[in-house]
Amino acid sequence: MNDPAESRKAANHLLSVGKLACGADVDPLLEQVADGSGGQLNAHQRDCVHCRAAIGEFTALWDPVRELAATPVPAPAELTATVIRRIRRLVHDVGYTLQITDGGAIRIAACIVAVLARDSARLVPGVRVAFGRSSHRTLGAFAGDGPLGQRPAAAAGVLGRTAVVDLAVAVNYGMPVQDVARDIQRQVIAALHHGLGLQNVTVNVTVDDVLDNAAD
Amino acid sequence: MPEVDDAYLVSRAQAGHPDAYEFLVQRHSGMAYRVALRLVGNHHEAQEIAQEALVTAWESLASFHADSSFSTWLYRIVTRRALNKVTRSRSDRSLDLLDDVPSSGDRTAAHVERNLMMDAVTNALATLPFSQRVVIVLHHFEGLSYAEVASVTRSTVPAVRSHLFRARRTLATRLEEWR
């Protein structure tokens, strides 16, 4: 039945009539088609022209639904970046490194220190994934109880040219964990020194998972 | 993006690593937007719902106890926010699901006809009651099983089947009016 007007009449009829001439209920046929089983006819349907015609009508009706469902809906390009920006503001990591140069002061946000440390760690062979965070308590330990140590900025993991970074790392199964951890410390310290000019860097590495090479 | 599963990223994020959550955002923002768009039918509202849902999930992460998957949890937050938006606006405007689908520039009769059909489905979807729209979107568009839809909607499998039965019938009837 290729004529749209005929098709419309037929399907309208089907939906309102409730039963076919053969006695079969109409609704289960729509369910069958919508479930993607329109091609799997039972014994009755194989021999019944009424059922086969009804299934054909419902298939024509439901195909555009299936096609729309399969149409990609790309997310707006800025969505992910906007959400991540908002979350970083919520984390409220307000600490900055401070370097006094002849040209003035250079401040680098603690979150940048954490990102650079994390990204450097990820480049170390054997590292599957690494996450950085600022180290509140550890920094407090060497910042003492002085005014800086009590300020919110001190809780960010950076102070002057000093940084403390905690890294949580998962390594690939079979890698020598301790060697990987030492390589991470070396690489992160070098990256923060060369990239940000930090001179006193402590890198605490926690290897908290060993993951198989297959994607989880 | 690292080849680690959502549960691992959630555990790291709960342990205080916001960058682990950033991976979850990268992985699931597309889904959040897509579902929101199909439920509210407006690009700007869908973007707002997706943003708020992802930020809400971060703020509520401590209360997530992995009794469901992260994606199921996020589906739940997105659909709730979409429901709030729809309830507030009660808009009758047509959905614009295809507004952001890149156009191939093909203006053949077949292409135009296809777009008309897609618009017809989109508009028919928009006329469904929200509870029926949710089950159609989650099951037929997102490919969730009945059990998963029940988990997202905090319902039961028989209730989902019942909603889906009515939704399919309503959608088929509405589609007929467009043909």
Side-chain angles (χ1 to χ4, degrees):
Chain A
M1 191 177 298
N2 294 325
D3 182 355
E6 287 299 314
S7 177
R8 177 165 56 250
K9 285 178 195 166
N12 266 337
H13 177 67
L14 283 178
L15 288 166
S16 58
V17 76
K19 279 187 185 297
L20 299 177
C22 63
D25 287 327
V26 170
D27 284 331
L29 300 180
L30 175 59
E31 294 287 290
Q32 183 177 342
V33 169
D35 272 335
S37 307
Q40 297 165 22
L41 306 182
N42 61 31
H44 166 78
Q45 291 166 348
R46 276 195 296 274
D47 293 333
C48 178
V49 292
H50 306 291
C51 284
R52 291 210 308 274
I55 287 171
E57 286 302 322
F58 284 137
T59 300
L61 201 62
W62 203 258
D63 272 350
V65 177
R66 223 181 294 282
E67 193 174 346
L68 182 63
T71 303
V73 179
E78 69 277 14
L79 174 60
T80 299
T82 304
V83 171
I84 289 174
R85 253 198 322 275
R86 287 185 57 182
I87 288 166
R88 285 179 181 169
R89 278 202 297 271
L90 287 173
V91 171
H92 200 57
D93 203 350
V94 296
Y96 290 86
T97 68
L98 174 62
Q99 299 171 48
I100 306 299
T101 70
D102 293 341
I106 298 174
R107 296 175 198 275
I108 299 170
C111 61
I112 295 175
V113 176
V115 167
L116 184 60
R118 177 198 68 195
D119 289 350
S120 302
R122 285 177 186 160
L123 296 176
V124 174
V127 172
R128 172 72 74 85
V129 61
F131 300 113
R133 65 178 170 190
S134 55
S135 177
H136 298 198
R137 282 171 301 187
T138 310
L139 182 70
F142 71 75
D145 294 325
L148 282 176
Q150 294 167 351
R151 283 160 50 182
V158 293
L159 192 67
R161 290 191 173 203
T162 299
V164 177
V165 178
D166 282 352
L167 288 167
V169 176
V171 301
N172 287 324
Y173 181 81
M175 297 298 291
V177 173
Q178 199 157 354
D179 292 347
V180 172
R182 287 199 184 109
D183 288 346
I184 290 169
Q185 287 178 317
R186 276 193 289 270
Q187 186 141 326
V188 170
I189 288 169
L192 294 182
H193 177 69
H194 295 302
L196 302 180
L198 297 177
Q199 293 182 344
N200 183 10
V201 177
T202 301
V203 179
N204 299 316
V205 178
T206 303
V207 180
D208 59 5
D209 221 331
V210 177
L211 300 175
D212 203 349
N213 284 328
D216 293 315
Chain B
M1 194 174 299
E3 293 174 344
V4 290
D5 62 17
D6 285 356
Y8 181 83
L9 291 172
V10 167
S11 70
R12 296 278 65 77
Q14 287 176 325
H17 298 280
D19 41 359
Y21 189 74
E22 291 177 11
F23 283 122
L24 288 167
V25 171
Q26 289 171 23
R27 191 174 281 177
H28 294 287
S29 60
M31 172 275 277
Y33 172 77
R34 188 175 64 238
V35 171
L37 182 64
R38 284 171 169 159
L39 289 175
V40 301
N42 175 281
H43 161 70
H44 295 292
E45 289 181 350
Q47 192 168 1
E48 185 185 327
I49 288 168
Q51 261 188 44
E52 295 303 323
L54 288 160
V55 172
T56 299
W58 162 256
E59 291 173 327
S60 311
L61 205 57
S63 66
F64 175 67
H65 297 304
D67 52 345
S68 64
S69 69
F70 177 78
S71 62
T72 297
W73 190 55
L74 188 58
Y75 271 123
R76 194 177 298 149
I77 296 172
V78 171
T79 52
R80 273 186 195 163
R81 288 203 160 264
L83 174 61
N84 290 342
K85 181 71 76 177
V86 168
T87 305
R88 275 201 303 271
S89 65
R90 291 288 180 198
S91 170
D92 289 325
R93 65 188 173 282
S94 64
L95 296 174
D96 60 351
L97 301 191
L98 296 175
D99 277 3
D100 293 300
V101 177
S103 170
S104 64
D106 178 3
R107 291 296 170 212
T108 62
H111 179 77
V112 171
E113 187 178 351
R114 178 186 175 279
N115 275 357
L116 286 173
M117 284 306 296
M118 296 300 99
D119 285 347
V121 178
T122 298
N123 285 305
L125 192 60
T127 65
L128 294 180
F130 190 82
S131 59
Q132 294 184 17
R133 211 182 312 167
V134 166
V135 293
I136 287 282
V137 167
L138 293 180
H139 181 67
H140 284 294
F141 286 66
E142 291 297 308
L144 270 58
S145 67
Y146 294 147
E148 288 168 331
V149 175
S151 176
V152 170
T153 57
R154 290 196 183 283
S155 182
T156 61
V157 170
V160 168
R161 284 184 187 278
S162 171
H163 272 292
L164 201 55
F165 173 79
R166 288 199 296 274
R168 286 164 167 172
R169 210 173 193 291
T170 310
L171 186 59
T173 305
R174 302 277 159 78
L175 277 175
E176 262 315 303
E177 297 163 6
W178 286 87
R179 278 173 62 169

